[in-house]
Structure formats: C-alpha cells, structure tokens
Amino acid sequence: MSGPQPFIFESGPDVKRHAPATERNRDVIAETLARVLPAEGLVLEVASGTGEHAVHFAKRFPGLIWQPSDPDPIAIASINAWRADTKLVNVRPAMQLDASADWPISHADAVICINMTHISPWAATLGLLRNAARVMPPSAVLFMYGPYNQHGVPLADSNAAFDMSLRQQNPEWGLRYVDDIVEEADKIGLRLDQVIAMPANNLSLIFRA
C-alpha cells in the first residue's frame, strides 16, 4: 500500500470489529515498540479502536499489562470481545476514555496512541499530551503513530489526498504538523526523542517525560 487507507471497519458475527490496516501495520509498530517500551509495567493505549492492536501487542510483550481505552461504546465492546476471545491475562477490560478530557487513570508506565490525531479535533492531541505528561513517570515514553505533516518535507501525494478527504469529512480533522505537536509538548515537559519513518508514509513519534 502506498499510503494511508480509508477507515474501513468490518464486523464479524459478534461485536468484534476488524480494521484491515491493523494487520498491515501491527508487526512493524511492534518492532518499534520493542525498542522503547519498558520490560514491565502498565501501558495505556489511547483510542484503541477495534482492540486488535491491544491483543496483538499483549501477546508480543507478555511482561507488560495493557490498558486499552476508547471514547466510543461500540469500540469498547469490540475491545472487550477481542480480549475475551484471546483470553489474555495481561489485557485489562477496556476503559472509556476521551483523549481531550481528564483521564480516569493516575499512572501509566508508557502511553501509546495509534492513528488518532488526524481523525480527531486538535483538542484530542492536546489532551493526549497533557494527560500523558501527568500520568507518566520521568523518562517514560509517549508513542504516537500515524500520518503527519513535516515542515520542509514534501507531502506524499497519497497523504495529501488523504488529508483533503479528512478535512472534507470534518474541518477539525487532518494531518497534524510534527512541529506543532512538539511545540505543545515542550510547554508541558515532554521532549521529542525520535522521529521514525514507517511504511506507507507514516511516522512514529517518540516523546519522553
């Protein structure tokens, strides 16, 4: 695939949902996570969506406890269905959590957020940064993945078309500039540690508390 794909969710016979993009990106994301996540502790996933990433990463990193979350009750049901189906002991029941609001959790040893910032208002990104800085201990990782804009870097045609389609769906959506995220992160004590190029014109952003 040459770029980000439309948001397609397929439903099975139960409440479990399936996002085809998850199967394409989960292994390469896991390879990056393996280099930055702690060996043990609690990982909070913000905007878990279908729940497929949570169960895949929980299998890959059995020493970590995974706390999936999402603001959407339909997504919550899907996450819990995947959790029940896999019977993984290191995945907690899904938490209803709005990235832009105050989070109902006081501590996480790492926070990950995959493919949220471009399909949510800017307030969700600001809330992600603010809350992650509050719940994470010093040197902990905030991992963000998805398509982003970079000043001075030409935007791939597929990402430009994707950005336009998102803004047509919702004027508050669209690809965020990395520099804008870094500027807001700096204000609350999060520092950008790495920017990693990923397949299909995506980026991984690694922030540390």
Side-chain angles (χ1 to χ4, degrees), residues 10-207:
E10 300 171 353
S11 298
D14 52 22
V15 297
K16 283 195 303 184
R17 303 176 81 198
H18 172 58
T22 303
E23 292 185 1
R24 296 193 295 270
N25 65 30
R26 63 187 185 184
D27 289 324
V28 68
I29 292 175
E31 290 172 10
T32 304
L33 291 175
R35 301 197 294 269
V36 299
L37 289 180
E40 57 185 22
L42 175 69
V43 178
L44 170 65
E45 182 185 12
V46 176
S48 299
T50 64
E52 293 167 280
H53 276 135
V55 296
H56 182 75
F57 297 150
K59 290 177 185 176
R60 178 74 181 266
F61 305 104
L64 291 166
I65 299 169
W66 293 86
Q67 176 62 73
S69 70
D70 205 276
D72 182 3
I74 294 175
I76 294 289
S78 177
I79 296 164
N80 287 335
W82 279 102
R83 174 179 178 266
D85 187 58
T86 55
K87 297 179 173 62
L88 290 164
V89 297
N90 62 327
V91 181
R92 289 183 174 181
M95 172 186 293
Q96 192 156 17
L97 182 152
D98 179 347
S100 64
D102 290 336
W103 294 355
I105 186 171
S106 60
H107 174 85
D109 296 291
V111 176
I112 70 173
C113 184
I114 298 169
N115 283 331
M116 181 200 78
T117 62
H118 55 287
I119 54 169
S120 58
W122 178 236
T125 298
L126 296 179
L128 171 67
L129 297 172
R130 181 184 70 253
N131 283 288
R134 177 179 61 84
V135 303
M136 296 193 310
S139 301
V141 164
L142 166 62
F143 172 87
M144 299 169 62
Y145 168 94
Y148 295 95
N149 246 318
Q150 291 177 288
H151 290 294
V153 178
L155 191 62
D157 290 344
S158 58
N159 276 12
F162 186 47
D163 183 51
M164 183 179 296
S165 70
L166 290 173
R167 294 179 188 280
Q168 289 173 346
Q169 292 178 62
N170 188 325
E172 292 192 275
W173 292 3
L175 273 62
R176 308 300 177 188
Y177 276 95
V178 173
D179 286 352
D180 292 343
I181 298 173
V182 172
E183 180 180 356
E184 295 299 328
D186 284 343
K187 295 177 183 177
I188 52 176
L190 294 176
R191 61 178 178 84
L192 180 65
D193 187 54
Q194 298 179 64
V195 177
I196 302 171
M198 306 291 279
N201 301 312
N202 290 297
L203 296 174
S204 287
L205 310 181
I206 314 295
F207 289 91

